[in-house]
């Protein structure tokens, strides 16, 4: 059952609370990108994607999702917990020794919902293309979704996959780039400019859509539009424009919160801005 817009926004608020608490709890992690992508994860798992929290790695008859920029694991773990993949109490173990919730998702931890290890950037699109082709071979009409950081697009493997998918008509694939203009060393324009992303992906043969990534209504609308465009010979690429750190005023728009944990005072300031809607873990 698809959640309505108000429910999605309340869920996103709780997930954002979880993110800052998880990163604060171990004084390690990546809050900025996680906060910016919260609306996307919420819409995907509670409205758009057909998935089963009982979790089966083969995912026959289900849509599947691959997180390529694995460092934003806090938003992924919180989303999975609230979607029923595992008890939300386990969020308290984030980045702890011997915990299943490692800083970058790994399959050997056997955490439900995790399909690939995604600590190394640039690999998720290639994996997703393989899964999408497998679904085609199996006659499975379900879709494959991915998420990537814009800094990740500087990786060469991304562009090999970008060529491969249109050439092989991988039209059951919906990929999204989090275009927040920030990476660990600073603004992407200063580190290594990405240029005109729409023109690049269209030149490679992708069907490209733009999304306001911190507007829940637009996130849902564009994801549904993307679904309607599958099966027409082209893979879909969504350019999702977000603000790093969205939802917490002192974190918004700064690369400095890419991988820094809030201290006690900053945590309080952040939580004061985020409504507790589903109960803290």
């Amino acid at each position: 059952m698809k959640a309505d817009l108000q429910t999605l926004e309340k869920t996103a608020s709780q997930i954002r609370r979880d993110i800052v608490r998880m990163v604060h709890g171990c004084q390690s992690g990546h809050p900025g990108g996680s906060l910016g992508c919260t609306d996307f994860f919420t819409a995907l798992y509670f409205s758009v994607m057909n998935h089963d929290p009982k979790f089966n790695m083969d995912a026959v008859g289900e849509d599947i999702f691959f997180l390529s920029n694995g460092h934003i694991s806090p938003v992924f773990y919180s989303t999975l917990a609230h979607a029923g993949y595992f008890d939300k109490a386990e969020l308290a173990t984030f980045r702890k020794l011997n915990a299943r919730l490692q800083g970058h998702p790994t399959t050997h931890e056997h955490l439900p919902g995790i399909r690939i290890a995604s600590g190394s950037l640039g690999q998720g699109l290639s994996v997703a293309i393989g899964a999408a082709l497998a679904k085609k071979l199996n006659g499975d009409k379900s879709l494959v979704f991915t998420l990537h950081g814009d800094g990740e697009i500087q990786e060469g493997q991304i562009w090999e996959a970008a060529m491969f998918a249109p050439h092989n008509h991988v039209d059951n694939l919906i990929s999204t780039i989090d275009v927040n203009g920030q990476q660990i060393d600073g603004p992407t324009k200063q580190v290594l400019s990405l240029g005109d992303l729409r023109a690049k992906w269209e030149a490679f043969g992708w069907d490209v859509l733009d999304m306001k990534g911190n507007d829940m209504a637009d996130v849902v609308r564009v994801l549904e539009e993307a679904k309607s465009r599958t099966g027409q010979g082209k893979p879909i690429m969504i350019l999702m424009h977000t603000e790093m750190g969205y939802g917490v005023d002192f974190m918004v728009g700064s690369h400095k919160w890419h991988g820094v944990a809030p201290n006690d005072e900053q945590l309080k300031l952040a939580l004061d801005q985020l409504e507790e809607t589903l109960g803290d873990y």
Side-chain angles (χ1 to χ4, degrees), residues 11 15 45-46 51-54 77-86:
T11 301
I15 291 173
Y45 273 84
F46 295 93
H51 63 103
D52 186 356
K54 291 179 181 178
Y77 293 150
S78 175
T79 300
L80 289 173
H82 288 288
Y85 282 79
F86 54 88

Side-chain angles (χ1 to χ4, degrees), residues 62 87 94-95 103 110 130 142 155 157 174 180 204 222 249:
E62 293 180 58
D87 195 299
F94 176 63
R95 280 186 174 243
H110 303 294
S142 303
E155 297 278 356
Q157 185 173 339
I174 300 174
N180 62 24
F204 275 76
V222 175
D249 58 6

Side-chain angles (χ1 to χ4, degrees), residues 39-117:
D39 301 297
F40 171 82
F41 273 88
T42 304
L44 190 67
Y45 273 84
F46 295 93
S47 179
V48 174
M49 199 166 65
N50 172 38
H51 63 103
D52 186 356
K54 291 179 181 178
F55 189 62
N56 182 292
M57 192 64 89
D58 290 334
V60 176
E62 293 180 58
D63 297 334
I64 56 178
F65 170 72
F66 294 103
L67 175 64
S68 191
N69 51 330
H71 59 274
I72 65 167
S73 59
V75 64
F76 195 15
Y77 293 150
S78 175
T79 300
L80 289 173
H82 288 288
Y85 282 79
F86 54 88
D87 195 299
K88 68 180 183 181
E90 194 169 355
L91 297 177
T93 69
F94 176 63
R95 280 186 174 243
K96 300 292 176 66
L97 209 57
N98 299 319
R100 298 197 297 176
L101 277 63
Q102 290 299 304
H104 293 69
T106 58
T107 51
H108 73 266
E109 305 293 348
H110 303 294
L111 186 69
I114 305 302
R115 299 188 180 279
I116 58 167

Side-chain angles (χ1 to χ4, degrees), residues 164-181:
F164 183 95
H167 177 80
N168 290 280
H169 308 293
V170 187
D171 56 3
N172 56 340
L173 173 65
I174 300 174
S175 293
T176 299
I177 299 172
D178 175 23
V179 186
N180 62 24

Side-chain angles (χ1 to χ4, degrees), residues 5-270:
L5 198 59
Q6 183 179 23
T7 301
L8 290 173
E9 289 174 341
K10 285 185 175 295
T11 301
S13 180
Q14 185 63 53
I15 291 173
R16 286 189 167 100
R17 284 183 66 89
D18 291 348
I19 290 166
V20 294
R21 292 184 69 235
M22 289 164 67
V23 175
H24 170 266
C26 61
Q27 282 297 291
S28 179
H30 298 78
S34 294
L35 291 167
C37 290
T38 298
D39 301 297
F40 171 82
F41 273 88
T42 304
L44 190 67
Y45 273 84
F46 295 93
S47 179
V48 174
M49 199 166 65
N50 172 38
H51 63 103
D52 186 356
K54 291 179 181 178
F55 189 62
N56 182 292
M57 192 64 89
D58 290 334
V60 176
E62 293 180 58
D63 297 334
I64 56 178
F65 170 72
F66 294 103
L67 175 64
S68 191
N69 51 330
H71 59 274
I72 65 167
S73 59
V75 64
F76 195 15
Y77 293 150
S78 175
T79 300
L80 289 173
H82 288 288
Y85 282 79
F86 54 88
D87 195 299
K88 68 180 183 181
E90 194 169 355
L91 297 177
T93 69
F94 176 63
R95 280 186 174 243
K96 300 292 176 66
L97 209 57
N98 299 319
R100 298 197 297 176
L101 277 63
Q102 290 299 304
H104 293 69
T106 58
T107 51
H108 73 266
E109 305 293 348
H110 303 294
L111 186 69
I114 305 302
R115 299 188 180 279
I116 58 167
S118 52
S120 299
L121 295 173
Q123 299 178 355
L125 189 56
S126 300
V127 175
I129 289 169
L133 288 173
K135 283 192 174 292
K136 281 178 170 286
L137 288 170
N138 291 334
D140 187 337
K141 301 297 183 183
S142 303
L143 302 174
V144 178
F145 294 83
T146 70
L147 179 64
H148 310 265
D150 51 359
E152 179 185 2
I153 305 307
Q154 296 160 352
E155 297 278 356
Q157 185 173 339
I158 288 286
W159 298 103
E160 296 176 40
M163 284 190 288
F164 183 95
H167 177 80
N168 290 280
H169 308 293
V170 187
D171 56 3
N172 56 340
L173 173 65
I174 300 174
S175 293
T176 299
I177 299 172
D178 175 23
V179 186
N180 62 24
Q182 308 291 335
Q183 58 190 102
I184 192 167
D185 289 328
T188 54
K189 287 183 179 179
Q190 293 180 16
V191 177
L192 183 60
S193 178
L194 302 173
D196 188 338
L197 283 178
R198 171 176 278 275
K200 281 183 168 69
W201 288 92
E202 286 180 341
F204 275 76
W206 291 63
D207 187 4
V208 182
L209 300 170
D210 282 283
M211 173 195 287
K212 299 173 185 175
N214 298 132
D215 179 336
M216 187 67 78
D218 200 58
V219 174
V220 174
R221 180 189 67 79
V222 175
L223 284 170
E224 291 293 350
E225 182 179 351
K227 286 173 65 177
S228 74
R229 294 194 187 200
T230 58
Q232 297 179 32
K234 290 184 175 184
I236 313 294
M237 176 57 72
I238 299 171
L239 301 178
M240 179 176 73
H241 304 276
T242 72
E243 289 281 356
M244 178 172 279
Y246 187 84
V248 179
D249 58 6
F250 60 86
M251 293 186 181
V252 172
S254 172
H255 75 276
K256 295 178 180 178
W257 288 99
H258 171 92
V260 175
N263 60 31
D264 292 350
E265 181 181 354
Q266 291 166 332
L267 174 66
K268 184 181 185 306
L269 289 172

